[in-house]
Amino acid sequence: MKAKKSALVTGGSRGIGLSIAKYLAKAGFDIAINGMRPTTEVTSVLEELRDLGVEAIYCRGNVGDSEDRLRIIQQIQNNFGQLNVLVNNAGVAPLERKDILETTEESFDRVLGINLKGSFFMTQMVSNGIIAQQKIDPDFRGCIINISSVSATMASVNRGEYCISKAGLSMVTQLFAVRLGDFDIPVYEVRPGIIKTDMTAGVQAKYDKLFEEGIAVQRRWGEPNDVGKVVASLAKGDFAYSTGQVVLVDGGLSIGRL
């Protein structure tokens, strides 16, 4: 009997990541969620995922750290025996929003270390794992899904390091899509707009007003479920011939309008 498909969602214990994990679980994937919180704080989250009829584990660690990345993948290998889908969702905003004329090197290194470097090397590791698995089983299938942001192309001068990290992640998608084409491993970018999460809680009043004024074509906040549904569809293989493509989940925010 073939092993059940499994997926790793980095930053998967809350917000967009948790919604992605839930939709992947509903699609039948065993789930590994990653985060930095103590294991005791994600017990209820794991139970919620297991109630959907799948195995669920928590892989604590910082994706920006090479030793933590190795431990995360080893834990998944020990529990599931394989990994089919990587969702690079882990991301942090600057601890303090500062004009790019005042951005600190410490903040720049922290944001890019997690959002960009962590995603790049996690993708490298998982890609090599999928390639190795295909040598054992030619029918083995996997994919990579990167969660970026409209900030990949829309400039915010008070959080430049975040924008740069997401623009870089967009290129990571293209690079690995090209490199993994020979192995038929699709790589996708999902680009959310303004989504109601912990990260945006501090600017809710600002964006409530902007939505009323029509900042997006659809005059509402995006919800984590809007992203989760898209990711599950990609992971299931519904868009298997669309490698390297960007799926915008932004309510028309990025449409140029006069």
Side-chain angles (χ1 to χ4, degrees):
M1 188 175 77
K2 287 195 174 184
K4 198 172 182 181
K5 289 186 175 181
S6 62
L8 165 62
V9 184
T10 66
S13 67
R14 67 175 93 192
I16 291 174
L18 178 54
S19 182
I20 290 169
K22 287 178 181 177
Y23 276 95
L24 288 172
K26 289 175 185 177
F29 289 86
D30 285 331
I31 301 295
I33 56 172
N34 150 260
M36 288 296 292
R37 289 190 288 166
T39 305
T40 53
E41 293 184 18
V42 298
T43 302
S44 61
V45 171
L46 292 173
E47 289 175 356
E48 197 174 350
L49 291 169
R50 289 166 184 156
D51 285 345
L52 296 171
V54 300
E55 289 187 58
I57 62 172
Y58 180 57
C59 304
R60 188 169 185 251
N62 176 8
V63 296
D65 181 87
S66 59
E67 292 185 0
D68 280 9
R69 287 193 299 270
L70 190 60
R71 276 196 296 269
I72 290 165
I73 296 303
Q74 190 60 59
Q75 186 179 347
I76 292 168
Q77 193 67 30
N78 292 342
N79 280 269
F80 299 147
Q82 64 182 43
L83 180 62
N84 300 81
V85 177
L86 167 64
V87 183
N88 282 309
N89 169 76
V92 295
L95 291 175
E96 186 179 356
R97 290 186 176 216
K98 286 191 173 184
D99 186 283
I100 55 173
L101 296 178
E102 301 173 347
T103 301
T104 65
E105 193 168 343
E106 180 184 10
S107 178
F108 189 96
D109 288 346
R110 172 180 171 271
V111 172
L112 267 74
I114 294 170
N115 298 9
L116 182 55
K117 187 183 83 170
S119 295
F120 180 95
F121 285 104
M122 187 65 84
T123 298
Q124 182 189 74
M125 190 180 299
V126 172
S127 297
N128 281 317
I130 294 173
I131 291 167
Q133 194 71 31
Q134 286 180 341
K135 291 178 181 177
I136 300 168
D137 176 10
D139 294 326
F140 187 84
R141 290 291 174 266
C143 71
I144 311 292
I145 304 169
N146 294 321
I147 310 301
S148 68
S149 165
V150 291
S151 294
T153 59
M154 303 178 79
S156 298
V157 296
N158 64 344
R159 54 190 187 109
E161 60 269 55
Y162 182 82
C163 296
I164 291 167
S165 73
K166 295 301 184 179
L169 186 58
S170 186
M171 179 52 72
V172 169
T173 301
Q174 295 178 63
L175 288 167
F176 276 96
V178 172
R179 184 65 184 89
L180 300 179
D182 288 344
F183 303 97
D184 198 20
I185 302 171
V187 184
Y188 309 101
E189 177 186 349
V190 175
R191 195 177 286 177
I194 304 165
I195 309 295
K196 188 173 284 189
T197 65
D198 292 348
M199 191 180 285
T200 54
V203 290
Q204 181 168 344
K206 169 188 173 180
Y207 282 110
D208 282 345
K209 184 173 185 294
L210 289 172
F211 277 118
E212 288 176 10
E213 294 170 352
I215 189 175
V217 174
Q218 293 174 269
R219 297 190 179 203
R220 69 167 177 87
W221 282 84
E223 297 288 344
N225 286 351
D226 292 316
V227 182
K229 292 173 186 176
V230 170
V231 172
S233 186
L234 293 169
K236 287 187 296 181
D238 293 344
F239 297 87
Y241 198 56
S242 298
T243 191
Q245 298 306 301
V246 178
V247 182
L248 284 154
V249 188
D250 69 352
L253 174 68
S254 56
I255 297 174
R257 288 172 284 167
L258 291 173

